[in-house]
Amino acid sequence: PILVYMCKVDGKFKFSPVSVNFLTEITKVIFAIIMLFFQARRVKVGEKPLLTVSTFVQAARNNVLLAVPAFLYAINNYLKFTMQLYFNPATVKMLGNLKVLIIAVLLKVLLRRRFSTIQWEALALLLIGISVNQLKSLPEGSTALGLPVAAGAYLYTLFFVTVPALASVYNEKALKSQFDTSIYLQNLFLYGYGAIFNFLGLVITALVQGPRSFHILEGHSKATMFLICNNAAQGILSSFFFKYADTILKKYSSTIATIFTGVASAILFGHTLTINFVLGISIVIISMHQYLANQIKDQVPSSKIEMSDAEDDSRLVESVIVKVDTVASEAKHRHGSDERQPLLPV
């Protein structure tokens, strides 16, 4: 949010936000390709190669679900710029944490994730902390898009919270459903879809506003270049959270970024750290501690569960066989060849 704020000139953007999102997706695609080449060089003898046409086509078919979060992320990335027209960077970051509750509900419904009672209470505390921070955050009497600023801001907040929540849950579902596929190959598909959707956004904008509005590189500065690199790094790191950790854990980790954003905004832009912000952050930190301290055992991908169950059954059968053989040997040693003696104690 700080970089987005720095990109504004006289309260507006001199570049197309969609072009920034498009260049961000291209950056992530290039990174995924580079990492795939490095990973392919380390493939051991006997393992399935990564850079063959058959592997790529099969992985593309298995990971077609990644198109859903890619489309939702394309919308959300545009909303991030729009939100900056209503709120300062620290407020935007705090509003982003509202996604946690929606994510928890979606995880429970779509992925059947389990949460303890204390964890639900922790999520409620998170919302309270955010609400405390947002008290009197909107200037009175302002207007935007012909609507009272409160109505316009809350409308964008609704989309700003719901769209990325859906994207995060579907992203985790898609990445973990093909757990054995290389994360860099999955990222290549995800970011490739994202680049396509953002490019379509540029084309639609050009059709509506005229060919002159088709600007990909116009109006960019050093701040936007930093913004593109930062957003690309954020997306790449998020994919590791979604595949190997948990969506809510990823959102809770952003509370640390919220504190940093608030302090940095005060230092760089002179924004005031109000008592509401301090109280809100305190409640959020307590919420985070309660949630993480009362986690139910992490969910494991179904393929891993099946393999684990099979291994447990195999070990159980082996232990029973060994036990039977041992007892039978002892019985034979004590009673000779008398088959009337039980092999196992009654």
Side-chain angles (χ1 to χ4, degrees):
I2 293 176
L3 289 173
V4 174
Y5 186 87
M6 293 174 63
C7 291
K8 289 195 296 186
V9 178
D10 297 329
K12 298 179 181 179
F13 299 115
K14 296 296 185 181
F15 55 88
S16 168
V18 182
S19 68
V20 171
N21 298 331
F22 173 73
L23 293 174
T24 299
E25 297 301 320
I26 293 297
T27 302
K28 291 189 286 188
V29 166
I30 294 173
F31 177 82
I33 293 174
I34 293 174
M35 294 308 298
L36 269 177
F37 276 107
F38 277 107
Q39 194 174 40
R41 294 177 60 183
R42 296 188 298 173
V43 172
K44 299 178 182 178
V45 178
E47 292 182 348
K48 190 175 182 179
L50 292 175
L51 300 180
T52 62
V53 176
S54 60
T55 300
F56 184 86
V57 172
Q58 184 63 36
R61 291 175 179 174
N62 295 338
N63 290 275
V64 68
L65 186 61
L66 288 171
V68 176
F71 175 72
L72 294 173
Y73 279 135
I75 299 175
N76 176 64
N77 290 336
Y78 178 78
L79 291 177
K80 287 182 179 179
F81 287 92
T82 306
M83 290 293 290
Q84 291 286 349
L85 301 177
Y86 296 104
F87 303 110
N88 61 50
T91 304
V92 171
K93 198 64 183 175
M94 286 296 294
L95 283 174
N97 288 328
L98 282 169
K99 307 169 194 172
V100 175
L101 183 59
I102 298 178
I103 287 173
V105 174
L106 292 174
L107 286 174
K108 184 174 180 62
V109 174
L110 299 179
L111 300 184
R112 302 193 181 279
R113 191 69 51 80
R114 296 182 301 157
F115 301 101
S116 66
T117 302
I118 295 181
Q119 285 182 307
W120 285 112
E121 293 174 354
L123 295 177
L125 270 181
L126 178 63
L127 293 181
I128 293 173
I130 295 171
S131 300
V132 168
N133 178 70
Q134 290 307 305
L135 292 177
K136 299 181 180 179
S137 62
L138 296 175
E140 297 181 0
S142 313
T143 59
L145 302 177
L147 297 172
V149 69
Y154 287 129
L155 180 63
Y156 274 107
T157 299
L158 177 63
F159 287 102
F160 182 69
V161 170
T162 305
V163 171
L166 283 170
S168 298
V169 173
Y170 270 103
N171 198 5
E172 181 177 344
K173 179 181 176 65
L175 290 173
K176 289 184 176 178
S177 65
Q178 299 296 322
F179 198 81
D180 294 331
T181 304
S182 167
I183 188 172
Y184 300 116
L185 190 56
Q186 289 179 307
N187 283 345
L188 177 61
F189 298 131
L190 176 64
Y191 305 146
Y193 286 131
I196 293 172
F197 290 132
N198 281 285
F199 183 78
L200 291 176
L202 289 171
V203 173
I204 293 174
T205 302
L207 292 176
V208 174
Q209 300 180 0
R212 292 184 178 182
S213 63
F214 189 79
H215 301 309
I216 296 180
L217 299 178
E218 183 176 336
H220 293 294
S221 61
K222 292 182 180 179
T224 58
M225 295 297 105
F226 279 115
L227 177 63
I228 290 171
C229 294
N230 181 78
N231 288 351
Q234 179 182 351
I236 293 167
L237 291 174
S238 295
S239 67
F240 284 89
F241 266 102
F242 294 139
K243 183 161 185 173
Y244 299 112
D246 179 77
T247 305
I248 292 184
L249 182 62
K250 184 258 180 185
K251 292 308 301 176
Y252 261 110
S253 69
S254 68
T255 58
I256 305 301
T258 301
I259 299 173
F260 171 80
T261 303
V263 175
S265 296
I267 296 175
L268 297 176
F269 311 124
H271 294 150
T272 303
L273 292 181
T274 64
I275 186 64
N276 290 347
F277 179 82
V278 176
L279 290 175
I281 286 296
S282 301
I283 297 173
V284 167
I285 292 176
I286 294 173
S287 166
M288 181 170 61
H289 176 265
Q290 281 190 322
Y291 182 88
L292 296 178
N294 294 276
Q295 276 189 313
I296 296 177
K297 187 177 181 181
D298 292 337
Q299 300 293 320
V300 182
S302 58
S303 59
K304 302 294 183 181
I305 293 176
E306 293 173 359
M307 292 176 60
S308 176
D309 290 343
E311 292 175 357
D312 291 342
D313 292 342
S314 176
R315 286 194 292 267
L316 178 60
V317 171
E318 291 177 359
S319 64
V320 171
I321 293 175
V322 171
K323 181 69 175 176
V324 170
D325 290 342
T326 303
V327 175
S329 177
E330 293 178 356
K332 185 176 180 180
H333 177 72
R334 290 196 303 264
H335 305 286
S337 59
D338 189 356
E339 298 179 355
R340 292 173 296 178
Q341 297 294 331
L343 297 179
L344 293 176
V346 178

